[in-house]
Amino acid sequence: MVRAEGRAALIPYLTAGYPTLDASRDALRMVAEAGADFIEVGIPFSDPLADGPVIQRSSQVALDAGMTVRKALDMIRDLLLPVPVIVFSYLNPVMAYGVERFTADARAAGVSGLLLTDVPAGEDTAIEQTVRKGGLDLIRLIAPTTVDRRLAEVVKGASGFLYLISRLGVTGARTTIDAGADRMIARVRAATTLPVAVGFGLATAEQARAVARIADGVVVGSALVERLGQGIESARALMVELRAAVVR
Amino acid sequence: MRQTKAGRRRSPRSAAAKPASGGRFGKFGGRYVPETLMAALDELTRIYEAAIADRAFRSELNDLLRTYSGRPTPLSDTPRLSDKVGCRVLLKREDLNHTGAHKINNTLGQVLLARRMGKRRIIAETGAGQHGVATATACARFGLECVVYMGEEDMARQGLNVYRMRVLGATVVPVSSGTRTLKDATNEALRDWVTNVTTTHYVIGSVVGPDPFPRIVRDFQSVIGSEARSQMLERVGALPAAVVACVGGGSNAMGIFSGFIPDASVRLVGVEAAGEGMATGRHAASLGAGRPGVLHGSLSYVLQSDDGQVMPAHSVSAGLDYPGVGPEHAHLKDSGRVAYVTATDREALDAFHALARLEGILPALESSHAIAWVMGARWRAKDTVLINLSGRGDKDVAHVAGLTGARV
């Protein structure tokens, strides 16, 4: 990622269309300006079972305001963001749009990778092949419960980077990071040379600093979305703190 | 030809269509879940397959079903309903189980599995509260901690069942997200499982969810079909012309159908809830009006918008009020082995009253959909129709009274 600069990549997550379509555009521009290295854009789904209350709520607000897969891709295309965009979503809206069509349109909009939280590695090889053939990185999750044998399978078809879930549970800010995180990262590094980003539950600059020492990337979602609910300046302030924290 | 073969004793499991490979029924099913759950699903598959091959496990479960739940449940003839329908109609009396519905067949089995895995915390989702009560009951029997997720809207509609669960020692957690019904209670139960997966077993209540749940629940419910098939042969001396069951998630239907799937002469009919009418869009007919999609961990038919967002379902019966359906039903629909039809709220309510007046049996509003469809269909006088009466209607009496403006 940005190993050469001696720091970890900062990867903010934002829900497309939250709090409004216009404010969502401004927020995406803001995080790019404030030093994001990648941006994860969440395309909202009505039943986000891997997400905690903050992202559930932001998804519902965005859907109520009329956000769709098409509008999210158009927004990403029109913004011409200076950093790579990863789409984070669930299979059903992508399937309803058409996986092949989605991959092509996402690529055309400048998206570089796709993470479908409910498509674990190897579960649906047809979908995985379509995504890869279409030129998107297939970002895969690794959990604390992923055993070594399965870890080998997960890293085999992955590209871009690996996304390590820092602890059991859904997305959402927590106050501590799991003590086992460095051991997990060591396990992943033994299995692959791909960069490793850590997310799920990271909220503060202090946590980001701790994770940046051991991982290649730090993903912050719920905490940022919550700040955005209070206003873009509040979200910007958190981005600035996080950006300063990921320096090793 | 079928009749002679029919007399042979078969193991109940051979009757059910096993998922081909990778936990799929045709293209449906699978494990569309966050990576965190994959290890638990592998463990559950391993433990389950070992358990059903273990004579001691089967004998303990059968013993519980007999001495605790009251199995086998009888087949009842319905002389006065039969007159009205124009052919012989029999009911498989799952309403006579302990806790008043078929749900206990599955919860006893799954709680025994949890014990084998050494997990002492049980979670469940519930809509009307029947599965929640059956889970709380099984947990009380084995001294396990029980947490039940229930939509706030359902809690308001089913206050009695909420209290029953609490009396049984369960914690009922209100779910206020989304439509505040069964769909959202299931999301919340899955979120709990993702968080506490190492200590907790999720007792899912229907033939839905990621593999291996649809086949575990089907197999635990297949006791309905295997009993009913032998009872038909014993009582009537022939297999029925048709077997009819209501379908929400579809566990009672899979349970009874699984006994008859290899019997090509037997028509299998699943009745979904048409709510206020299919044309109004306010219904719960996932197979009748949905499209293939992924909800709660498996690929099946889902009520959804063009943009792939899950739509709220509607039915007078909380147990059918679900926008998805078990993946094996999706496969049985596409293969043509089962015909899926619908009955409206109005028709189900009429059938509820009809069965009460004609036979002295109060059916659950869910099961009333199956009765309604049979009452409205055309039969030959020589036909015998078997309906799965999946639960009793006592839980619905206050709701029905409210709808008819009666005071209770």
Side-chain angles (χ1 to χ4, degrees):
Chain A
M1 288 181 173
V2 285
R3 281 170 181 162
E5 293 177 35
R7 65 178 178 89
L10 177 58
I11 311 174
Y13 164 97
L14 292 168
T15 303
Y18 177 79
T20 65
L21 185 59
D22 284 343
S24 176
R25 279 197 196 96
D26 294 344
L28 287 167
R29 278 197 208 97
M30 179 279 284
V31 293
E33 283 163 15
D37 296 290
F38 291 81
I39 303 174
E40 261 187 35
V41 178
I43 296 187
F45 177 48
S46 54
D47 293 81
L49 57 83
D51 283 302
V54 171
I55 294 176
Q56 284 175 50
R57 211 174 314 113
S58 68
S59 299
Q60 198 53 54
V61 167
L63 289 172
D64 290 346
M67 182 44 65
T68 64
V69 172
R70 176 75 263 166
K71 283 183 192 170
L73 293 180
D74 286 350
M75 176 173 76
I76 293 166
R77 184 195 60 209
D78 295 347
L79 280 170
L80 297 169
L81 294 164
V83 290
V85 170
I86 309 290
V87 166
F88 179 108
S89 194
Y90 291 81
L91 179 55
N92 204 58
V94 170
M95 193 187 261
Y97 191 88
V99 178
E100 196 171 344
R101 182 174 156 231
F102 177 89
T103 306
D105 289 359
R107 192 86 186 90
V111 171
S112 66
L114 176 63
L115 195 171
L116 295 172
T117 53
D118 55 356
V119 183
E123 182 53 35
D124 198 319
T125 47
I127 286 174
E128 292 187 336
Q129 272 166 19
T130 306
V131 171
R132 268 194 294 257
K133 248 189 227 155
L136 293 183
D137 281 331
L138 187 65
I139 312 294
R140 282 177 169 170
L141 292 168
I142 293 172
T145 49
T146 306
V147 295
D148 284 340
R149 192 159 46 85
R150 181 160 168 80
L151 181 60
E153 196 186 316
V154 173
V155 301
K156 207 159 58 180
S159 51
F161 59 89
L162 288 158
Y163 188 136
L164 181 64
I165 298 171
S166 59
R167 58 191 299 162
L168 297 180
V170 293
T171 60
R174 293 173 187 87
T175 49
T176 57
I177 61 164
D178 199 293
D182 42 356
R183 210 169 48 240
M184 279 160 48
I185 289 173
R187 276 212 297 140
V188 179
R189 292 215 192 278
T192 180
T193 53
L194 283 173
V196 182
V198 174
F200 277 47
L202 305 184
T204 64
E206 194 187 332
Q207 288 171 322
R209 190 171 296 119
V211 171
R213 273 187 219 117
I214 49 176
D216 305 305
V218 177
V219 186
V220 178
S222 296
L224 188 64
V225 170
E226 185 143 37
R227 289 288 196 96
L228 187 58
Q230 297 158 13
I232 195 163
E233 288 315 314
S234 175
R236 189 195 308 270
L238 178 61
M239 273 299 293
V240 170
E241 285 175 39
L242 292 169
R243 183 62 179 75
V246 294
V247 178
R248 283 188 187 128
Chain B
M1 179 63 192
R2 292 302 315 173
Q3 308 301 56
T4 49
K5 260 181 111 173
R8 214 182 299 153
R9 245 188 107 75
R10 302 171 311 169
S11 91
R13 296 208 66 259
S14 69
K18 285 175 193 164
S21 63
R24 300 221 175 214
F25 307 93
K27 68 173 179 175
F28 297 104
R31 288 181 178 175
Y32 294 93
V33 292
E35 173 64 26
T36 312
L37 293 181
M38 292 302 276
L41 294 172
D42 280 341
E43 180 195 20
L44 180 58
T45 304
R46 207 169 51 244
I47 297 278
Y48 174 63
E49 286 173 354
I52 50 164
D54 175 358
R55 191 186 298 270
F57 178 88
R58 291 201 310 268
S59 126
E60 183 175 16
L61 177 57
N62 288 338
D63 208 52
L64 276 169
L65 290 173
R66 194 167 53 81
T67 62
Y68 187 67
S69 188
R71 300 205 74 90
T73 59
L75 279 195
S76 293
D77 256 302
T78 60
R80 299 183 68 212
L81 175 69
S82 298
D83 269 354
K84 207 169 164 72
V85 169
C87 74
R88 186 173 180 186
V89 178
L90 291 124
L91 303 176
K92 177 62 173 163
R93 299 293 304 278
E94 290 302 298
D95 60 318
L96 295 179
N97 272 301
H98 180 41
T99 72
H102 70 293
K103 294 291 186 188
I104 190 117
N105 301 331
N106 168 49
T107 60
L108 287 172
Q110 286 209 47
V111 161
L112 289 184
L113 287 182
R115 205 185 51 181
R116 259 177 113 95
M117 289 185 285
K119 292 182 170 177
R120 302 200 53 82
R121 180 173 180 271
I122 299 294
I123 56 170
E125 83 296 339
T126 197
Q130 292 303 102
H131 174 59
V133 167
T135 306
T137 299
C139 288
R141 174 67 178 71
F142 288 94
L144 302 177
E145 182 188 352
C146 181
V147 177
V148 180
Y149 290 92
M150 189 169 184
E152 275 181 345
E153 174 141 348
D154 289 335
M155 285 179 75
R157 288 193 288 198
Q158 304 283 343
L160 186 62
N161 271 345
V162 173
Y163 188 67
R164 282 170 84 194
M165 288 183 266
R166 288 181 175 149
V167 168
L168 289 160
T171 305
V172 182
V173 181
V175 175
S176 59
S177 57
T179 57
R180 299 183 296 144
T181 60
L182 177 57
K183 166 178 89 73
D184 306 282
T186 308
N187 288 337
E188 215 48 48
L190 282 163
R191 289 179 187 123
D192 179 314
W193 204 34
V194 171
T195 310
N196 300 298
V197 63
T198 50
T199 60
T200 298
H201 176 59
Y202 178 19
V203 176
I204 210 161
S206 192
V207 286
V208 301
D211 177 71
F213 282 113
R215 53 184 159 130
I216 290 179
V217 179
R218 174 201 65 201
D219 290 349
F220 286 146
Q221 293 295 358
S222 70
V223 64
I224 307 173
S226 60
E227 275 179 17
R229 191 173 186 281
S230 339
Q231 288 168 322
M232 281 299 301
L233 293 173
E234 198 174 303
R235 175 87 69 86
V236 182
L239 294 174
V243 175
V244 185
C246 64
V247 177
S251 68
N252 90 84
M254 268 327 302
I256 196 158
F257 290 167
S258 66
F260 297 92
I261 283 173
D263 300 310
S265 68
V266 178
R267 217 173 132 197
L268 303 176
V269 182
V271 186
E272 292 191 293
E276 294 173 7
M278 295 302 289
T280 65
R282 284 178 54 76
H283 58 73
S286 317
L287 292 162
R291 284 183 291 123
V294 169
L295 175 66
H296 299 149
S298 61
L299 177 65
S300 186
Y301 281 82
V302 178
L303 293 176
Q304 55 181 310
S305 69
D306 291 343
D307 203 44
Q309 306 300 337
V310 180
M311 306 283 279
H314 169 81
S315 170
V316 68
S317 124
L320 303 183
D321 201 346
Y322 181 66
V325 67
E328 192 165 4
H329 284 295
H331 176 59
L332 291 168
K333 172 192 157 82
D334 282 12
S335 73
R337 179 64 188 95
V338 179
Y340 293 92
V341 298
T342 61
T344 63
D345 288 353
R346 179 76 265 157
E347 291 162 342
L349 285 164
D350 288 348
F352 172 90
H353 289 291
L355 196 71
R357 295 281 177 101
L358 294 170
E359 300 294 339
I361 297 171
L362 281 174
L365 282 177
E366 290 78 12
S367 326
S368 300
H369 286 72
I371 298 158
W373 184 81
V374 168
M375 290 179 74
R378 280 200 135 111
W379 303 100
R380 294 170 303 182
K382 61 170 186 166
D383 287 341
T384 306
V385 178
L386 173 63
I387 302 175
N388 195 21
L389 191 67
S390 56
R392 65 179 184 225
D394 305 51
K395 69 180 174 64
D396 297 313
V397 169
H399 186 43
V400 172
L403 291 171
T404 55
R407 289 231 177 103
V408 283

